[in-house]
Amino acid sequence: MTVSVETRRSRVTVYAKSTAPSLTPVKPGKTHEFTALDHSMSRHSVHLVCYYRQEPTVTMTALKESLCDVLSYYPAMTGRLVKNEGDGCGEWMVKCNDAGVRMVDARADTTLDEFLASATDEEERQLAYWEDVGSDPYLWSPYCIQFTDFKDGSMAVGISCTHFHADPTCVAVFARAWSETHRRALVTCPPFFHPWAFYPRKNPVPSSPHLSEKSTIPPPLHPPAMSSVTFAFSASSVRQCLADLQLSNLSPFDALASLLWLRISSYKSASLGTAQLTLAVDCRRRMSAPLPLGFYGNALHFFGVKADLSSGWIHIASELNRHVSGIKEDDVWSSVEWLHERSKEKAFQMYGPELTCLAWDNVPVYNAEFSPGAIPVHVGCRIGNAQGEGLVVIMAGAPGEGEEARTVIVTLPTDLTAQIYRDEAILKYGPKIMFSPNI
Amino acid sequence: MPAQPLPDFSTSVRLKYVKLGYQYLVNHFLTLLLIPMIATCVLELVRRGPEELISVYNSLDLDVIHILCSSFVIIFVLTVYYMSRPRPVYLVDYACFKPAPSCRVPFATFMEHTSMICEDPKSVQFQTRILERSGLGEETCLPPANHYIPPNPTMEAARAEAQLVIFSAIDDLIKKTGLQPKHIDILVVNCSLFSPTPSLSAMIVNKYKLRSNIKSFNLSGMGCSAGLLSIDLARDLLQVLPGSNALVISTEIITPNFYKGNRRDMLLPNCLFRMGAAAILLSNRRRDATRAKYRLLHVVRTHKGADDRAYRCVYQEEDSDGHCGISLSKDLMAIAGDALKSNITTIGPLVLPMSEQLLFFFTLVGRKLINPTLRPYIPDFKQAFEHFCIHAGGRAVIDELQKSLQLSAEHVEASRMTLHRFGNTSSSSLWYELNYIESKGRMKRGDRVWQIGFGSGFKCNSAVWKCLRTVKTPVDGPWAECIHRYPVDIPEIVKL
């Protein structure tokens, strides 16, 4: 964990851009429609980076071949955004015109271990190439896949996409399907295209006080520069956290989210009082008619948690636990119906501008094995356009570190990030610090 | 019942039968003449009886010298006749390169890349219009280097493409025929636009460890009709070398030839040219006659380069910005029609049945001597050939030839479907078309195939093959996985 004094030149170089078609042509006239949830997330993007050790079958050429293969199952990914002129609603939808996904070739001038030990936040961001929609959405690929070769033959695969199309779970499931296609194994979670999953109920009760409040917040005039840092907590660190909390029913998420909420807030203002945290939780499995893991699209439920930060860490953790386990399906539906009502209006920022936390540790992300038994060495996930007070992403850690291991990616305004990764209360639990900002 | 006017169909039916009768009469004229003569002779002999025949023979007073001299003369004439006959050239088998589906270029991808690479929106619009009307499908393939934004045409990438397409085709051919590389006597490679040193033929010699005394040739710069030129060259060599075989490779390497500029007449190749290669094994060995698929009957080459317009019709040059491209002139179709006319004037007498030739001759005489306004008679080539392989140079070429040769949709189906599935693969397209006909199970023993190639120069070359054994389906080749989907209906304009 080296911190250079002066800004270092990035070791990642992008040298070629191309497009990957699917192996089988898409039937003309196919389309994919978005749900209200998809529309609400359109301002953000998802970036998933998986790092792999050198394997004879994991080469750029072979991966590109298997990518073309798996894309045959995802016609929505190879399509382009068009306005739905059909039934006069004028909303965005995907025309599955078989255009393919963008691919970017890159090389990193270092070995994988050296990179994981010393790379900056900026360098990790360069492993998932992304271009925002330009002047013509019809020519813009909503997905971009980057292959980065390291000096020792290791590889990093970066999948970036617009949050309009998919949430982080969807991207992780795609990576898994791709790896299974690469190994010529059966795809365990084939994509499930069902835009009617979040169609309002027969008797809709559209109401979401939290989101209504968010929608009225004006976008910040001068959004602060953001930077990130990654904390990799091993199972023992998390167990230590839980032990310190002394409550038996808390999960690793409750412990870590509350710890970070407390510490971030303490740096923002000297006095702590009642504060609100926005939580984003995957609700595929929380519906009474549960959606399969392969459900293609967004299934994140955003809600607010209020807690009195001055009451201490234990209180905050138990409040979080109470709220997360107490999510009612009705709340999810009300939220969806509220979003559906305002789907014609411009989408507002969902991750932020207030402090937001994405609870993503219940989704397995280390199962994209391109070579049998060769799971990723590390997986990182970022959300684009989450400016404001900050975003905390809590995801599963490397299986080698234990079941309770967690990776926490904290994105904050730059000056806050500099303080947070030196925070004693967090460092007490000995997390490995990765991808710190270059300051 | 009142006398009703004869319906139209009855007159045409009568005309049809008249025509059929005329054809049978003229085409089998010698047979019709000889059979009565032979019958009369046999009857006469039978009538006269054996004793009379013996007495006639004795009266001839032949002695040993006479018999020996006559036999010597007969044997001498027969030997000269057999020795001076051209050696038969057999096509043992051929294999076409099947591109990997990951190299395919859907229309949407092509237009996206063009919009990103091309600065001139008018060029982009022009290329969209070409693609919409091109007759290509969504499964045509470009080499890996052309998938990059912008394309990356290095020499290494071009060599990689050459190795990919040529070696795949040769490996396929070796598997099909059991050919041993050390037994190849002649190697002819034609690739118009990519000519590295050492040549592509040297690359093949190196990869397959061919013999040191192989006769290898590399034809470059000769355009899309070079496939048949290579066949012609191989045939000529096989006349000189007894008991040999020849490996002919026809391909076009697309990688180095992406046109980066904006001149409209140079943008067509970008839109139409696709990856492809064919490897053909020819032989003049008698033992290959039993296992060969086809026998080469004729090759007719027509070169219109003496005419300046024809010479500049397909011209590679640099545009005002220094980008190199191949410009296609507006009178391409007219010149192609002209070249075709010359070619069929030469090939007509070789292949047409006597009935058609007589009709043509009489019409010609009539036009010259009696009435110049008489419509020229276009011989019915459908009587000379069962199958047609027209170079899939573009939809316009196929339409033009269908019209001028009066071919039905089924005759040009192979060309249209090859253009749809594989695009314009230049000199190897004729072999993809032949493979289509075989895969459809239409190739029977005794069928004659006419392959017509057009190319820069301006050249029009024809080859005529005769099928020696019925080709049984399923046929292993580039059409194996998709033949059941064809023929497809290709719309005039595909909306992009």
Side-chain angles (χ1 to χ4, degrees):
Chain A
M1 164 199 119
T2 38
V3 177
S4 17
V5 178
E6 67 279 332
T7 340
R8 193 176 48 198
R9 207 169 49 88
S10 172
R11 294 170 287 186
V12 178
T13 333
V14 167
Y15 61 85
K17 207 199 296 187
S18 58
T19 306
S22 58
L23 280 195
T24 44
V26 175
K27 278 197 168 48
K30 213 176 164 112
T31 56
H32 171 76
E33 280 171 21
F34 291 121
T35 63
L37 279 180
D38 294 329
H39 280 289
S40 67
M41 306 302 298
S42 55
R43 291 183 63 157
H44 299 283
S45 53
V46 183
H47 310 272
L48 190 78
V49 182
C50 303
Y51 301 81
Y52 295 92
R53 290 237 177 262
Q54 196 214 17
E55 287 285 330
T57 56
V58 182
T59 57
M60 217 189 269
T61 332
L63 285 177
K64 286 183 182 181
E65 277 291 328
S66 55
L67 175 65
C68 294
D69 205 346
V70 76
L71 285 176
S72 307
Y73 300 110
Y74 287 85
M77 277 179 68
T78 53
R80 294 291 179 263
L81 287 175
V82 290
K83 283 261 162 97
N84 187 353
E85 308 293 345
D87 51 0
C89 58
E91 285 177 6
W92 289 107
M93 71 170 191
V94 179
K95 178 175 170 192
C96 302
N97 65 353
D98 207 11
V101 304
R102 210 61 82 222
M103 279 196 304
V104 162
D105 300 349
R107 71 174 76 87
D109 204 16
T110 177
T111 63
L112 178 62
D113 291 316
E114 174 68 26
F115 188 84
L116 289 174
S118 65
T120 61
D121 163 44
E122 187 56 45
E123 282 177 321
E124 208 216 1
R125 223 176 311 191
Q126 289 174 346
L127 292 182
Y129 184 85
W130 180 243
E131 274 173 358
D132 260 326
V133 58
S135 49
D136 193 349
Y138 194 60
L139 301 176
W140 173 70
S141 171
Y143 276 83
C144 187
I145 315 240
Q146 178 172 333
F147 300 92
T148 311
D149 270 324
F150 289 92
K151 266 211 309 227
D152 60 344
S154 312
M155 173 160 292
V157 175
I159 307 173
S160 306
C161 74
T162 166
H163 220 301
F164 212 152
H165 266 256
D167 59 7
T169 310
C170 185
V171 178
V173 169
F174 166 71
R176 181 174 170 192
W178 179 8
S179 66
E180 285 160 347
T181 311
H182 188 84
R183 289 196 320 260
R184 313 227 72 84
L186 189 64
V187 172
T188 41
C189 293
F192 181 64
F193 297 100
H194 193 64
W196 309 278
F198 289 110
Y199 223 62
R201 295 172 289 188
K202 257 206 297 242
N203 304 313
V205 183
S207 130
S208 177
H210 182 72
L211 290 177
S212 318
E213 202 189 308
K214 269 171 80 75
S215 67
T216 53
I217 302 173
L221 280 170
H222 303 287
M226 311 287 279
S227 60
S228 314
V229 65
T230 302
F231 295 107
F233 288 91
S234 64
S236 52
S237 323
V238 176
R239 280 197 288 269
Q240 184 62 43
C241 268
L242 288 168
D244 284 350
L245 281 168
Q246 290 162 359
L247 284 175
S248 55
N249 61 337
L250 295 176
S251 67
F253 167 75
D254 302 323
L256 294 171
S258 51
L259 174 65
L260 278 155
W261 186 8
L262 184 59
R263 298 313 302 153
I264 293 169
S265 306
S266 64
Y267 282 109
K268 276 202 322 240
S269 67
S271 63
L272 295 171
T274 319
Q276 180 162 280
L277 177 73
T278 304
L279 280 186
V281 174
D282 184 295
C283 59
R284 280 171 172 78
R285 292 292 176 191
R286 289 171 188 270
M287 316 292 275
S288 59
L291 289 169
L293 201 58
F295 170 73
Y296 185 85
N298 282 281
L300 285 174
H301 174 57
F302 284 79
F303 61 101
V305 174
K306 278 199 172 68
D308 183 9
L309 294 179
S310 55
S311 312
W313 183 20
I314 300 170
H315 168 79
I316 302 167
S318 54
E319 277 298 297
L320 273 176
N321 181 288
R322 192 170 63 83
H323 276 88
V324 171
S325 46
I327 296 174
K328 289 201 286 287
E329 197 190 333
D330 277 332
D331 296 332
V332 178
W333 276 114
S334 297
S335 214
V336 169
E337 280 146 13
W338 185 87
L339 283 167
H340 187 82
E341 261 193 355
R342 72 175 306 283
S343 59
K344 292 221 193 357
E345 296 171 51
K346 212 160 164 278
F348 54 86
Q349 194 178 344
M350 291 294 260
Y351 292 98
E354 71 283 3
L355 187 64
T356 311
C357 180
L358 170 63
W360 202 41
D361 57 336
N362 54 336
V363 174
V365 293
Y366 279 81
N367 48 17
E369 284 173 41
F370 284 96
S371 184
I375 58 165
V377 172
H378 179 76
V379 177
C381 174
R382 285 163 190 271
I383 304 290
N385 256 348
Q387 278 104 332
E389 291 184 24
L391 171 67
V392 176
V393 176
I394 300 183
M395 53 190 283
E401 303 286 322
E403 204 209 298
E404 293 104 333
R406 294 290 182 271
T407 306
V408 180
I409 302 151
V410 182
T411 309
L412 297 168
T414 315
D415 47 347
L416 267 181
T417 321
Q419 295 173 302
I420 204 72
Y421 80 85
R422 294 191 177 101
D423 184 56
E424 288 300 326
I426 299 174
L427 291 178
K428 180 174 141 192
Y429 297 101
K432 186 164 140 206
I433 298 184
M434 300 165 77
F435 310 124
S436 51
N438 198 359
I439 13 164
Chain B
M1 228 167 59
Q4 289 178 337
L6 281 164
D8 272 325
F9 76 88
S10 152
T11 27
S12 67
V13 162
R14 260 198 269 153
L15 196 62
K16 184 178 129 188
Y17 281 123
V18 163
K19 215 168 176 214
L20 263 177
Y22 159 74
Q23 280 166 5
Y24 272 121
L25 179 68
V26 174
N27 293 337
H28 305 275
F29 186 69
L30 277 175
T31 327
L32 291 172
L33 205 61
L34 277 173
I35 288 180
M37 275 176 59
I38 292 172
T40 342
C41 290
V42 166
L43 279 173
E44 191 60 33
L45 284 170
V46 164
R47 195 172 62 83
R48 291 221 184 163
E51 301 85 16
E52 223 182 299
L53 290 171
I54 293 172
S55 65
V56 166
Y57 174 70
N58 286 335
S59 71
L60 276 176
D61 206 15
L62 295 167
D63 64 1
V64 183
I65 304 284
H66 280 133
I67 295 172
L68 266 177
C69 284
S70 335
S71 348
F72 174 71
V73 168
I74 292 171
I75 290 170
F76 180 71
V77 167
L78 280 172
T79 315
V80 167
Y81 171 68
Y82 275 111
M83 292 304 275
S84 64
R85 258 188 358 161
R87 284 184 224 276
V89 173
Y90 303 109
L91 192 161
V92 178
D93 210 340
Y94 65 96
C96 297
F97 167 69
K98 176 162 190 292
S102 55
C103 287
R104 93 186 164 89
V105 181
F107 283 4
T109 317
F110 184 86
M111 288 328 303
E112 221 172 76
H113 282 215
T114 312
S115 314
M116 288 194 267
I117 299 163
C118 221
E119 293 111 26
D120 181 18
K122 278 198 158 47
S123 301
V124 176
Q125 226 177 14
F126 179 69
Q127 291 188 68
T128 316
R129 276 209 331 266
I130 299 176
L131 210 55
E132 283 174 350
R133 292 162 176 74
S134 62
L136 261 65
E138 299 273 3
E139 294 178 80
T140 61
C141 296
L142 278 176
N146 285 44
H147 287 262
Y148 286 98
I149 308 164
N152 190 16
T154 58
M155 185 169 228
E156 197 188 317
R159 274 219 171 96
E161 183 197 340
Q163 288 172 352
L164 171 68
V165 305
I166 296 176
F167 295 165
S168 303
I170 298 180
D171 288 339
D172 259 341
L173 185 65
I174 288 175
K175 217 165 39 182
K176 277 189 185 176
T177 57
L179 171 71
Q180 296 231 26
K182 288 221 179 309
H183 294 170
I184 301 174
D185 303 298
I186 303 162
L187 173 65
V188 184
V189 177
N190 74 271
C191 169
S192 187
L193 297 165
F194 178 54
S195 188
T197 299
S199 63
L200 295 175
S201 56
M203 186 178 83
I204 298 170
V205 170
N206 172 262
K207 161 87 175 166
Y208 291 94
K209 313 283 178 247
L210 303 184
R211 284 199 325 255
S212 53
N213 62 348
I214 190 164
K215 292 205 188 306
S216 68
F217 299 86
N218 194 81
L219 303 176
S220 76
M222 299 190 88
C224 299
S225 59
L228 297 179
L229 295 177
S230 315
I231 300 282
D232 188 46
L233 178 60
R235 178 187 69 160
D236 288 343
L237 286 163
L238 286 172
Q239 304 304 317
V240 176
L241 301 170
S244 329
N245 61 16
L247 177 63
V248 175
I249 311 285
S250 287
T251 183
E252 191 56 72
I253 303 300
I254 315 281
T255 305
N257 302 302
F258 181 78
Y259 174 59
K260 300 185 181 74
N262 293 314
R263 250 177 71 174
R264 290 201 176 179
D265 51 345
M266 293 186 173
L267 285 169
L268 259 111
N270 276 5
C271 299
L272 300 178
F273 275 23
R274 297 290 184 263
M275 233 184 2
I280 304 112
L281 181 62
L282 299 174
S283 167
N284 62 8
R285 295 177 186 159
R286 232 195 298 269
R287 63 171 177 274
D288 287 330
T290 41
R291 69 174 183 140
K293 267 189 181 163
Y294 301 93
R295 186 158 74 90
L296 182 59
L297 295 180
H298 309 282
V299 176
V300 174
R301 296 165 60 163
T302 312
H303 203 308
K304 300 301 266 177
D307 173 36
D308 279 341
R309 259 178 67 229
Y311 172 64
R312 291 205 72 104
C313 176
V314 179
Y315 205 77
Q316 184 182 32
E317 59 187 344
E318 282 172 355
D319 66 8
S320 49
D321 299 320
H323 300 301
C324 195
I326 303 158
S327 85
L328 303 171
S329 88
K330 281 199 167 34
D331 31 348
L332 177 67
M333 289 325 307
I335 291 168
D338 233 355
L340 178 70
K341 239 193 326 194
S342 295
N343 194 283
I344 64 181
T345 313
T346 321
I347 204 173
L350 295 173
V351 296
L352 285 169
M354 193 49 78
S355 55
E356 292 297 315
Q357 296 200 39
L358 275 181
L359 271 175
F360 180 73
F361 177 69
F362 286 136
T363 327
L364 192 69
V365 164
R367 270 165 58 91
K368 290 275 193 276
L369 299 178
I370 305 167
N371 181 7
T373 61
L374 254 182
R375 260 204 0 248
Y377 179 72
I378 301 165
D380 187 7
F381 280 90
K382 299 196 281 290
Q383 291 190 34
F385 303 105
E386 279 73 38
H387 306 289
F388 296 79
C389 293
I390 301 165
H391 169 54
R395 200 188 209 146
V397 171
I398 303 175
D399 287 343
E400 179 64 35
L401 257 81
Q402 183 180 10
K403 206 174 64 180
S404 51
L405 296 174
Q406 293 169 343
L407 300 175
S408 71
E410 200 184 311
H411 287 124
V412 294
E413 186 185 302
S415 311
R416 287 200 199 282
M417 297 307 128
T418 301
L419 183 64
H420 184 265
R421 172 65 179 84
F422 294 101
N424 178 353
T425 57
S426 185
S427 40
S428 49
S429 65
L430 298 171
W431 301 102
Y432 285 96
E433 294 171 23
L434 191 60
N435 200 269
Y436 177 84
I437 299 170
E438 291 181 3
S439 304
K440 276 288 184 195
R442 295 177 188 161
M443 191 60 77
K444 308 264 182 299
R445 183 191 153 103
D447 281 355
R448 288 153 302 172
V449 185
W450 187 16
Q451 290 183 321
I452 314 172
F454 293 97
S456 62
F458 194 82
K459 299 189 273 289
C460 175
N461 300 323
S462 301
V464 180
W465 303 87
K466 185 174 172 129
C467 181
L468 296 176
R469 55 179 173 86
T470 303
V471 180
K472 287 198 260 292
T473 51
V475 170
D476 191 22
W479 291 96
E481 277 152 22
C482 57
I483 193 69
H484 57 279
R485 286 190 268 127
Y486 283 88
V488 289
D489 183 36
I490 306 173
E492 268 301 315
I493 303 178
V494 175
K495 202 63 203 96
L496 283 184

